[in-house]
């Protein structure tokens, strides 16, 4: 059985690909009531769900110039950046279609669950806009079943000539969750459909209707001739694709000319970005496979670029015709599939920039031939190379984080915490009073750590770290440990300097991003609701309540808040996420708490070991 | 890990500029303006404002239409020192480090001739739209000066930066002007100069023997470029930002076309070029595939040189005398990029500064224990640790002067000059360090610090803080007052002034006793007000502090029976430090 190697450890059966491809096309032609078709062959290890496409302008662009909208986080809770908490964007019409026709379709859900329970691999597939529905169905499956059931068989999503569907955060989130490898997109060299959403509707409005008419397999086409609008359509889409590609390339290449920023104010750029593995079909039985999203974006433009102006009418026609040739092309490819015919582009930063024929390395020769088949000039190769280099630099950024220094500072603060306790005062209060040399040393260490973590946050904000970063256990644990140990000191510092007077309460305005981010990491990893891991803010809650209850109104109006704080404190202490030193006799918390009416009725008294400290 | 490769993003930037379509639209506006009927007695500078849905275009053109010779005869520069009084619009470009600059006299006169139109023009700028200012030849020079003027008059915390696009304009100023604009990279990013290889005009004012880079500093009265240059030819276009490279390439790329004197023909030349470039963005570049192996940065430069027709694709790899030029450009590009990246990580630096502040805070605490307070200790300069304090103070002051200056020119975020973190840290800095500046000022015999001695960065930091809403003091604030800094960073200046008033009164030197007495009463109320809001650090009550010194002198003047709000409080000021002083 032949298979296609699409990644380091990933191979896909070519029969499956071909079957999916023919089903993807078949889904269109079925009666229009069907929102999906299902193929289960007895005995096979997989089932295939295939989704039809849709062909009106509103099925592409609904509202915004590029037809995008915020992702539905109820359906796709992972599709956001965690720390920054920026939500992904998705094509509005595609998402709507998915919500209306698939996610509420009980038959569909039943079939999916049945297949899952039978431990079959579920393959979602689609051609054209059907591919976008397949993508959303796959993510929905991953969110709903895969995250909670690690024993389930991983799904697979195969798309053919599918338009771009989500933005850079969409891509970022799928890579963070390590879901991107489940998506394989086949793209013909000139097929215009995967590129259309790089252009705003305003730039193609005139031509779009007749083009969609042509692309619709259900429409009764007068002839197989491409419509006269093809030329302008191709040129307009490509001009916009060029803008997007060069803007992205400038960033990949570390542009320092601020003109780019100024210019970007004048140009509306498509928000869409690829994700997953792309298999480019050169049109002469060769496949070029890569999964770096930045590189794919460049390739989407460069591979369908013209060699010279004279080719334009011809290429414009092909840009439509190739949308229908996936079946034949893949069949041709797979009948004779060997190493020369499917080239996996990894280490992009080492791509050959020239057609230097002196090299004897057969790898380079193969890659060179494949790149040539996609028509890639030196300039295009530079862009791919820069995309590879950027990926490498992100890893470099991660490795350059000074963990040793952080570790030393953490150790100091751990000892500081212990020594404070020995002297009868929790480190929060000791630090707040700031009397001894040790407190000063602790402050310097706190600031050292703040420096390291703020740098990490700054890199995250610029997406300068690998996409996987915020999902890595090592970092989540480190962040949590840091937050538990050091945030109380930050709070102490905040209330010591009365910064709440210049700004507002710590939790609202003063809390540094390094703590907000790390808390969100943990909440996301453990699938807890936002805000549920706020134990490191305990002291800020205490301080804010102290302020409130010290006002004229006194305790009464804040009774519920006080009770809530008490309950939380107990839970946190019992869970071991809040240090017991908060219960020491002279702590700000205890001194305040004892002043509140009826402290003995409080649940705090139930905490194990509490009576000893208060005795 | 392998060393990282560097790239030249310039070919991509050039492509982005072209594919964005702004060149077409700008040029169309210029052509419209030229197409308009011209009256006999027309003003030499005409303009046109064109409102598009998301963008405003302002185009300038000049009469008579000027060719190469016309401009060559008008190469005189006029210096900023002569302009200071007569035409002060550009005085803002002078600064301490770069006091003088010169502008082409003819261009400036043209711009000056439309001074009366400026307010009307400005009123037509819609803040919600982006703005493009454009023109060709001398019209582009007027557009450049108009843009420069806008940079000073528009508040970019609420408006997007404008873009000035010139087509075939001559150079406009010397290295003084260049430095003034380079000081703020965002200013430099507002200028895009489009130059055809067949147009002599942009090249006429380049001095024939451009000095090598090392002599630059001593060179005056030589025209220098700024902004980004888009050099175009029939093979494409490349963009360049390094000024030395631009000068060299402007000269080297010139291909003596049909000497176009008729401005309409020159415009037509640019129209054709822009149209051609627009078509080309979807075609593979003429460089095709390099024939030999080369590193990415170099490959990027070669692509640009081929696009400007300095190199022919088929000649690649042969020794065509350009290797030196390529190497030179490579060096200059690397240097420019390096200098840009420096200080790129604002957050890292801020945290270093916070550590410096932590040290200062510690010193402050140590002085407090000695019963003197850091203000007076520093003023007397008697302590060994003062040297350390000076060191930290210098580092911190350098940092904040730069930050404030930068934030003024390029706000950190839209709508506010400073991000919250910077504002918080800046306020802390001001409250901690300004007293030391005041100490130095009065120690050196200065008077009236607030009016005549206060550095601008403190003023700005205070102003920005005031733009944020404040809250009322609470009980917690009283309890914590011991560790807080005095909110008004000018507190000690007020103390010093009161001190001076006391001296004048007791020695009888003052000519206006009433006035001095009034000042002292005002000061008394001021301190009372601060104490009431717990806005002043209890350190002022330390036995050796200047404030207590003043209080002693003041009491002597006012007599033992004197009673006031403040004198009542002063009786038990020790309670203030623990927050238990009841203040009516």
């Amino acid at each position: 059985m032949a298979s296609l190697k699409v990644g380091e450890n990933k191979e896909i059966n070519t029969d499956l690909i071909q079957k999916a491809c023919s089903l993807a096309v078949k889904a269109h032609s079925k009666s229009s009531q069907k929102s999906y078709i299902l193929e289960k062959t007895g005995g096979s290890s997989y089932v295939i769900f295939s989704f039809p496409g849709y062909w009106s302008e509103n099925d592409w662009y609904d509202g915004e110039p590029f037809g995008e909208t915020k992702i539905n986080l109820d359906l796709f809770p992972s599709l956001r950046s965690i720390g920054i908490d920026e939500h992904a964007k998705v094509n509005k019409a595609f998402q709507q279609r998915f919500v209306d026709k698939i996610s509420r379709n009980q038959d569909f859900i039943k079939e999916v669950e049945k297949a899952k329970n039978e431990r079959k691999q579920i393959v979602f597939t689609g051609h054209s806009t059907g591919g976008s529905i397949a993508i959303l169905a796959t993510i929905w499956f991953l969110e709903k079943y895969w995250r909670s059931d690690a024993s389930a068989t991983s799904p697979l999503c195969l798309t053919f000539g599918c338009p771009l569907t989500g933005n850079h955060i969409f891509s970022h989130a799928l890579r963070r969750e390590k879901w991107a490898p489940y998506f394989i997109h086949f793209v013909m060299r000139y097929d215009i459909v995967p590129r259309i959403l790089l252009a705003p509707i305003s730039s193609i409005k005139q031509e779009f209707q007749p083009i969609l008419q042509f692309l619709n397999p259900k429409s009764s086409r007068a002839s197989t001739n491409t419509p006269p609008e093809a030329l302008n359509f191709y040129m307009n889409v490509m001009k916009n694709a060029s803008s997007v590609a060069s803007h992205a390339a400038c960033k990949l290449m570390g542009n320092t000319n601020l003109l780019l920023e100024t210019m970007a104010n004048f140009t509306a750029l498509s928000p869409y970005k690829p994700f997953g593995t792309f298999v480019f079909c050169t049109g002469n039985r060769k496949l070029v496979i890569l999964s770096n999203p930045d590189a794919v974006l460049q390739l989407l433009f460069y591979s369908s670029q013209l060699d010279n102006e004279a080719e334009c009418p011809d290429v414009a026609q092909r840009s439509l015709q190739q949308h229908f040739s996936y079946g034949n092309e893949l069949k041709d490819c797979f009948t004779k599939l060997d190493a020369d015919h499917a080239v996996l582009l990894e280490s992009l930063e080492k791509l050959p920039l020239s057609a230097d024929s002196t090299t004897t390395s057969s790898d380079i020769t193969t890659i060179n031939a494949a790149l040539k088949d996609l028509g890639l000039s030196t300039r295009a190769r530079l862009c791919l190379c820069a995309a590879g280099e950027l990926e490498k630099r992100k890893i470099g950024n991660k490795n350059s984080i000074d963990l040793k220094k952080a570790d030393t500072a953490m150790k100091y603060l751990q000892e500081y915490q212990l020594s404070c306790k020995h002297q009868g005062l929790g480190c929060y209060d000791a630090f707040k009073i700031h009397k001894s040399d040790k407190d000063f040393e602790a402050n310097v260490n706190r600031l050292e750590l703040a420096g390291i973590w703020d740098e990490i946050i700054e890199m995250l904000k610029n997406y300068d770290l690998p996409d996987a970063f915020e999902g890595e256990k090592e970092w989540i644990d480190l962040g949590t440990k840091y937050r538990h140990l050091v945030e109380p000191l930050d709070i102490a510092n905040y209330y010591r300097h009365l910064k709440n007077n210049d700004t507002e309460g710590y939790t609202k305005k003063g809390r540094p991003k390094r703590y907000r981010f790390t808390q969100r990491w943990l909440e996301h990893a453990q699938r807890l609701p936002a805000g549920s891991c706020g134990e490191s803010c305990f002291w800020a809650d205490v301080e804010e309540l102290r302020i409130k209850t010290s006002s004229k109104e006194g305790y009464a109006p804040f009774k519920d808040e006080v009770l809530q704080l008490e309950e939380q404190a107990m839970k946190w202490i019992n869970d071991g996420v809040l240090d017991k030193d908060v219960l020491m006799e002279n702590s700000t918390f205890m001194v305040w708490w004892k002043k509140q009416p009826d402290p003995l009725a409080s649940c705090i008294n139930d905490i194990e070991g509490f009576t000893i400290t208060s005795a | 890990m392998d060393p990282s490769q560097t790239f030249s993003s310039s070919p991509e930037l050039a492509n982005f500029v072209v594919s964005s379509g702004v060149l077409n639209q700008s040029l169309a506006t210029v052509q419209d303006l030229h197409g308009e009927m011209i009256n006999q007695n027309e003003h030499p500078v005409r303009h046109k404002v064109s409102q598009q849905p998301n963008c405003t275009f302002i185009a300038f053109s000049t009469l008579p239409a000027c060719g190469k010779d016309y401009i060559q005869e008008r190469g005189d520069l006029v210096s900023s020192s002569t302009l200071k009084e007569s035409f002060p619009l550009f005085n803002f470009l002078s600064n301490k480090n770069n006091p003088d600059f010169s502008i082409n006299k003819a261009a400036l006169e043209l711009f000056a001739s439309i001074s009366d139109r400026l307010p009307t023009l400005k009123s037509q700028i819609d803040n919600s739209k982006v703005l493009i200012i454009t023109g060709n030849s001398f019209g582009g020079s007027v557009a450049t000066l108009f843009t420069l003027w806008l940079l000073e008059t528009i508040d970019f915390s609420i408006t997007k930066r404008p873009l000035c696009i010139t087509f075939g304009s001559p150079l406009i100023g010397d290295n003084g002007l260049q430095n003034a604009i380079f000081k703020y990279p965002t200013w430099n990013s507002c200028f895009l100069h489009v130059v055809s290889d067949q147009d002599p005009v942009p090249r006429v004012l380049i001095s024939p023997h451009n000095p090598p880079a090392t002599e630059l500093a001593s060179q005056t009265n030589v025209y220098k470029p700024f902004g980004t240059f888009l050099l175009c030819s029939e093979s494409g276009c490349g963009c360049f930002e390094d000024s030395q490279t631009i000068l060299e390439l402007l000269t080297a790329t010139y291909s003596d076309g049909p000497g176009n004197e008729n401005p309409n023909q020159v415009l037509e030349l640019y129209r054709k070029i822009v149209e051609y470039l627009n078509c080309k963005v979807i075609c593979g570049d003429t460089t095709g595939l390099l024939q030999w192996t080369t590193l990415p940065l170099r490959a990027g430069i070669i692509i640009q040189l081929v696009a400007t027709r300095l190199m022919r694709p088929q000649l690649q790899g042969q020794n065509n005398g350009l290797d030196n030029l390529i190497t030179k450009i490579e060096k200059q590009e690397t240097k420019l990029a390096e200098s840009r990246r420096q200080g790129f990580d604002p957050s890292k630096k801020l945290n270093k500064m916070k550590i410096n502040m932590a040290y200062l805070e510690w010193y402050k605490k140590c002085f407090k224990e000695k019963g003197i307070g850091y203000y007076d200790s520093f003023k007397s300069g008697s302590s060994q640790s003062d040297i350390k304090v000076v060191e930290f103070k210098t580092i911190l002051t350098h940092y904040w002067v730069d930050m404030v200056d930068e934030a003024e020119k390029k706000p950190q975020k839209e709508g506010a000059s400073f991000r919250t973190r910077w504002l918080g840290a800046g306020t802390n800095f001001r409250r901690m360090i300004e007293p030391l500046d005041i100490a130095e000022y009065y120690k050196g015999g200065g008077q009236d610090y607030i009016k005549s001695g206060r550095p601008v960065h403190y003023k700005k930091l205070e102003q920005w803080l005031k733009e944020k809403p404040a809250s009322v003091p609470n009980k917690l604030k009283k309890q914590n007052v011991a560790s807080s800094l005095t909110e008004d960073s000018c507190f000690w200046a007020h103390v010093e002034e009161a001190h001076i008033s006391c001296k004048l009164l007791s020695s009888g030197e003052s000519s206006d006793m009433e006035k001095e007495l009034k000042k002292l009463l005002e000061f008394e109320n001021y301190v009372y007000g601060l104490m009431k809001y717990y806005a002043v650090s209890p350190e002022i009550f330390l036995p050796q502090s200047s404030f207590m010194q003043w209080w002693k002198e003041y009491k002597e003047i006012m007599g033992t029976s004197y009673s006031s709000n403040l004198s009542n409080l002063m009786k038990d000021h020790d309670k203030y430090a623990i927050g238990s002083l009841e203040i009516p």
Side-chain angles (χ1 to χ4, degrees), chain A residues 512-581:
Chain A
K513 290 215 169 66
R514 51 184 185 268
Y515 301 124
R516 294 178 192 273
F517 276 44
T518 44
Q519 181 180 335
R520 287 192 197 118
W521 296 353
L522 184 70
E523 284 163 359
H524 176 71
Q526 304 194 342
R527 267 166 286 151
L528 295 167
S532 55
C533 296
E535 64 277 356
S536 55
C537 278
F538 170 77
W539 283 111
D541 297 342
V542 171
E543 295 284 4
E544 291 303 318
L545 269 180
R546 271 181 72 207
I547 296 170
K548 283 180 185 165
T549 52
S550 72
S551 65
K552 280 188 203 116
E553 295 96 344
Y555 171 78
F558 307 104
K559 191 178 165 196
D560 288 346
E561 281 179 65
V562 174
L563 288 177
Q564 202 193 343
L565 180 75
E566 286 172 348
E567 252 170 58
Q568 281 202 312
M570 181 173 83
K571 184 181 171 296
W572 286 333
I573 291 172
N574 287 338
D575 289 352
V577 292
L578 182 65
D579 198 282
K580 270 191 192 158
D581 64 8

Side-chain angles (χ1 to χ4, degrees), chain A residues 306 356 378 435 437 495-496, chain B residues 284 290 293 361-362 365 480:
Chain A
L306 302 171
D356 196 347
T378 296
K435 219 162 139 190
D437 283 11
Y495 287 95
R496 179 165 68 101
Chain B
L290 291 181
T293 315
E361 204 185 306
W362 192 246
K365 198 183 104 70
N480 275 351

Side-chain angles (χ1 to χ4, degrees), chain A residues 242-243 246 256-257 262 266 305-306 349 356 377-379 389 435-437 454 495-496 501-502 546, chain B residues 5 15 19 132 189 228 282-285 288 290 293 340 351 361-362 365 421 476-477 479-480 483:
Chain A
S242 164
S243 264
S246 359
T256 54
N257 189 337
T262 310
F266 294 86
Q305 203 186 22
L306 302 171
E349 69 280 2
D356 196 347
S377 60
T378 296
R379 186 158 159 178
E389 190 67 41
K435 219 162 139 190
S436 77
D437 283 11
D454 281 350
Y495 287 95
R496 179 165 68 101
N501 204 44
D502 292 342
R546 271 181 72 207
Chain B
Q5 310 180 78
N15 205 55
S19 60
I132 292 183
S189 80
T228 301
I282 61 169
C283 286
D285 53 308
L290 291 181
T293 315
R340 287 284 165 72
N351 279 306
E361 204 185 306
W362 192 246
K365 198 183 104 70
R421 274 175 65 206
L476 198 71
K477 185 173 174 181
Q479 290 163 5
N480 275 351
S483 61

